[in-house]
Amino acid sequence: MSKIFSSLTEPGLLAAVERNFAEEMACFGRNLPGAILHQDDELTLFITGPGGPNGVLLTCFKQHDASYIDTRIEETLARFRSHEVLDPGWRVGPTTQPSDLGTYLERHGMAQRTSMSCLILEVASARRIDVAVNGLEIREVQTLEELQAKCEVERIGFGASEMMARHYYLTYKFSGFGEGQRWHHYIGWREGRAVAVASILLKQGIAGIYGVTTRPEVRRQGIATAMMQHLIGAIGQLGYSIATLSPSDMSGELYHRLGFEDYCQLHHYRSLAPEEHS
């Protein structure tokens, strides 16, 4: 079991944050039927097939010789192509080696498409926001029926496809969830209807918060704030002291009000489509 971090100043926390985010997607490769998770001393990657998602999550090349790095990149991209994956992602983070990996990826026909900010919080220092949402009851998911309800709200809240929602459901199902597991899922219920959801992933000694969303018709009513404060409390009860998450454009202000601080960034590279090369 990984050491549980107790403060933001402990060495190794940066790598733990990056690996917690990697684990969220590695769960697809580990648990989605027919998927592949490959891990060695240098790379962590997952393949689910042409429909995705697919990509390299962690890179730590032991040799910094340019020809070696180019060869490993081409071998890895060829592996994706052998599974009919033509546009894999490749994540570059603060502990990636070499630190200029992005330059190499660009030489192999990839381009940086997006970046995600990682925020961090010492749970004991979280700021309380007074909010009252009439009739809201937040409960941890205990059954597969509740997990289906959770994934449906997640699909609606993020505007995801039916296929992606199915991927998440199967990944969560086969990963395991609840007491004694790494994944903990929560639903906010109001008048018997699931209106908000969120998940906690315990990995690398910290708690990652994922999939925080509400149904569009009940937004701006304090529900997301109530969900987040419930999750922060749950993380403490689970014995963890450090939480991390990546905000959307809409949610960043809320998380900063709760005490989350900017910590690092992860950059996402993707292969260029044939027409983009010109």
Side-chain angles (χ1 to χ4, degrees), residues 21 23 28 33 59 67 72 93 141 160 173 184 199 205 224-225 231 266 277:
F21 279 99
E23 177 63 17
F28 281 85
T59 307
S67 62
R72 286 304 318 266
V141 170
K173 174 184 175 180
H184 296 262
S199 298
T225 302
L231 259 65
L266 302 178
H277 284 284

Side-chain angles (χ1 to χ4, degrees), residues 3-278:
K3 163 195 170 182
I4 296 179
F5 288 85
S6 59
S7 78
L8 302 183
T9 59
E10 290 183 75
L13 182 59
L14 185 62
V17 168
E18 189 170 352
R19 280 155 178 73
N20 189 286
F21 279 99
E23 177 63 17
E24 184 215 7
M25 301 309 296
C27 284
F28 281 85
R30 185 180 292 113
N31 298 291
L32 196 63
I36 297 168
L37 176 66
H38 170 82
Q39 294 175 293
D40 60 35
D41 290 342
E42 295 189 322
L43 292 170
T44 296
L45 63 87
F46 73 110
I47 302 172
T48 68
N54 307 280
V56 178
L57 300 170
L58 297 169
T59 307
C60 185
F61 290 135
K62 303 301 182 183
Q63 299 181 36
H64 286 196
D65 176 73
S67 62
Y68 176 82
I69 294 169
D70 283 328
T71 298
R72 286 304 318 266
I73 291 173
E74 184 50 44
E75 289 174 348
T76 303
L77 295 178
R79 178 169 190 166
F80 283 109
R81 291 194 296 268
S82 72
H83 292 275
E84 301 181 353
V85 175
L86 304 181
D87 60 343
W90 200 307
R91 185 178 289 176
V92 175
T95 68
T96 295
Q97 290 295 325
S99 58
D100 61 345
L101 179 64
T103 301
Y104 287 89
L105 296 177
E106 289 169 358
R107 293 210 299 259
H108 288 264
M110 306 189 80
Q112 183 179 328
R113 297 304 182 96
T114 60
S115 295
M116 57 187 277
S117 297
C118 305
L119 309 187
I120 201 164
L121 171 74
E122 196 167 313
V123 170
S125 65
R127 293 193 286 269
R128 187 75 187 173
I129 300 175
D130 291 330
V131 61
V133 183
N134 293 332
L136 182 69
E137 181 184 7
I138 302 172
R139 302 196 306 265
E140 184 168 358
V141 170
Q142 301 291 341
T143 68
L144 291 178
E145 182 180 11
E146 291 175 344
L147 183 64
Q148 286 183 316
K150 188 262 184 189
C151 291
E152 177 61 11
V153 175
E154 202 170 59
R155 180 189 70 79
I156 294 170
F158 289 110
S161 67
E162 294 280 357
M163 182 184 75
M164 187 57 68
R166 180 67 176 168
H167 279 349
Y168 271 99
Y169 170 75
L170 292 174
T171 297
Y172 291 151
K173 174 184 175 180
F174 293 118
S175 295
F177 57 90
E179 186 175 358
Q181 301 292 331
R182 295 189 185 278
W183 279 107
H184 296 262
H185 307 292
Y186 299 84
I187 298 176
W189 300 89
R190 193 162 69 176
E191 298 178 354
R193 181 170 178 249
V195 296
V197 296
S199 298
I200 294 170
L201 173 60
L202 306 175
K203 183 67 174 179
Q204 294 291 322
I206 61 175
I209 298 175
Y210 297 94
V212 182
T213 191
T214 59
R215 290 180 178 269
E217 67 271 20
V218 297
R219 289 175 180 164
R220 301 190 182 280
Q221 297 180 24
I223 293 174
T225 302
M227 287 289 294
M228 281 300 303
Q229 295 193 137
H230 184 91
L231 259 65
I232 291 169
I235 288 169
Q237 291 173 2
L238 288 165
Y240 284 71
S241 301
I242 306 297
T244 188
L245 54 74
S246 179
S248 66
D249 292 339
M250 294 186 296
S251 60
E253 180 181 354
L254 167 61
Y255 299 144
H256 284 114
R257 287 174 60 205
L258 288 167
F260 282 86
E261 301 174 359
D262 295 324
Y263 191 64
C264 66
Q265 284 199 324
L266 302 178
H267 306 291
H268 299 277
Y269 286 74
R270 188 166 295 280
S271 295
L272 294 170
E275 62 272 16
E276 293 179 291
H277 284 284
S278 59

